[in-house]
């Protein structure tokens, strides 16, 4: 991860934001010897809204004849890799 001073970031802020967005880099901002902030890409945003989730899921293709084999595969995976317990219990 790259580092630059807050003063340099202030001078180049517009170009810095463009670079973080277009190249996907993260940059740590430092004052003195301390990292005081981090500039990172915002990440992708889904066009799907929560209210549309049920309709989206209903529109997915059905497994049909593969459903039983898929179920058996999932059960085998769960046996081989059991869920971790809650460490706070």
């Amino acid at each position: 991860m790259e580092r630059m001073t807050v003063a340099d970031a202030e001078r180049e802020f517009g170009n810095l934001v463009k670079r973080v967005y277009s190249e996907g880099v993260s940059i740590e901002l430092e004052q003195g010897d301390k990292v005081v902030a981090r500039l990172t890409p915002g990440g992708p945003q889904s066009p799907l809204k929560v209210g549309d989730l049920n309709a989206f899921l209903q529109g997915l293709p059905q497994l049909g004849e593969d459903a039983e084999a898929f179920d058996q595969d999932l059960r085998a995976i769960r046996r081989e890799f059991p869920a971790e317990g809650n460490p706070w219990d």
Side-chain angles (χ1 to χ4, degrees):
M1 185 175 304
E2 295 182 41
R3 279 192 180 181
M4 68 184 330
T5 65
V6 171
D8 288 342
E10 287 175 331
R11 282 192 291 277
E12 295 293 323
F13 190 71
N15 291 330
L16 187 59
V17 170
K18 285 179 190 174
R19 189 162 163 245
V20 168
Y21 175 75
S22 64
E23 297 176 23
V25 297
S26 294
I27 299 175
E28 292 181 331
L29 304 178
E30 56 185 17
Q31 270 184 326
D33 293 337
K34 287 185 178 180
V35 173
V36 295
R38 185 173 295 119
L39 189 58
T40 62
Q45 297 208 357
S46 173
L48 183 65
K49 305 294 181 221
V50 172
D52 301 329
L53 184 58
N54 281 335
F56 171 77
L57 293 173
Q58 293 297 323
L60 291 175
Q62 301 296 313
L63 287 173
E65 295 176 11
D66 294 334
E68 183 63 32
F70 181 70
D71 182 54
Q72 290 174 3
D73 289 344
L74 282 178
R75 290 175 191 274
I77 290 168
R78 287 181 178 148
R79 280 191 302 272
E80 188 171 343
F81 301 101
E84 293 182 15
N86 185 345
W88 304 108
D89 285 340

